Amino acid sequence: MTSFSARAAYVTLAFISFGLIGVGLLLQHVVGLDPCPLCIFQRMAYLALAMFALLAAWLSPRTASRWFGVLVLVSALTGAGIAGRHVWLQMNPQGMSCGPGLQAMLDNFPLTEVLPKVFRGSGDCSESAWTLVGLTIAEWSLLWFVVLAAVTSFVLLAPRYRSPIKT
């Protein structure tokens, strides 16, 4: 008997990640909040996390599942880093603009110039136009990435099997 189902945990992680992407799209298309470049990169991290989690669930309990689990953890930690930078920009606004949107930057600049500009961003990135229970979108995103990383760490480090209890 397994002590927990890694497959169920990975599927849950994927559904949570897809749900968070859905919330971002809802805020964008229904509420009218335009995402900044850092928001877009956070969505990419959620998408990568969800895809790797689905692959880990599909391959579970095989050894390859653990490698995809590590990629889920890397995606969560990367997203936490991006969200952490976003939170820092909101707490320390520098009065500059993020500049043009991500698509315009990708169309006009090489990727080696786009990435530093995105992570240097403020202006739109430092504004917090929406809060829930006192937390900005970036702070919620950071919180979710930390929770997803913690759950993934548990799945990766937890023992796979529980020994039967003898009475």
Side-chain angles (χ1 to χ4, degrees), residues 22-70:
V23 168
L25 292 172
L26 180 81
L27 289 171
Q28 179 180 353
H29 296 291
V30 175
V31 177
L33 298 174
D34 289 330
C36 71
L38 290 177
C39 294
I40 293 169
F41 279 126
Q42 289 171 63
R43 287 182 192 177
M44 289 178 186
Y46 282 123
L47 183 61
L49 190 153
M51 299 308 289
F52 290 137
L54 287 176
L55 286 169
W58 182 50
L59 294 171
S60 185
R62 290 175 248 159
T63 305
S65 172
R66 293 185 65 74
W67 288 108
F68 282 106
V70 170

Side-chain angles (χ1 to χ4, degrees), residues 13 20 46 49 73 75-81 83-84 139-153:
L13 289 169
L20 291 168
Y46 282 123
L49 190 153
L73 182 60
S75 298
L77 294 175
T78 300
E139 291 167 333
W140 277 109
S141 187
L142 177 60
L143 178 66
W144 274 108
F145 276 122
V146 169
V147 167
L148 294 171
V151 170
T152 304
S153 297

Side-chain angles (χ1 to χ4, degrees), residues 99-114 117:
L102 181 61
Q103 188 59 46
M105 286 193 282
L106 289 172
D107 289 343
N108 294 307
F109 300 105
L111 189 60
T112 56
E113 288 182 33
V114 171
K117 287 177 191 261

Side-chain angles (χ1 to χ4, degrees), residues 70-87:
V70 170
L71 292 173
V72 170
L73 182 60
V74 167
S75 298
L77 294 175
T78 300
I82 295 167
R85 174 68 175 156
H86 199 172
V87 169

Side-chain angles (χ1 to χ4, degrees), residues 21 70 132 135:
I21 293 169
V70 170
L132 178 66
L135 296 177

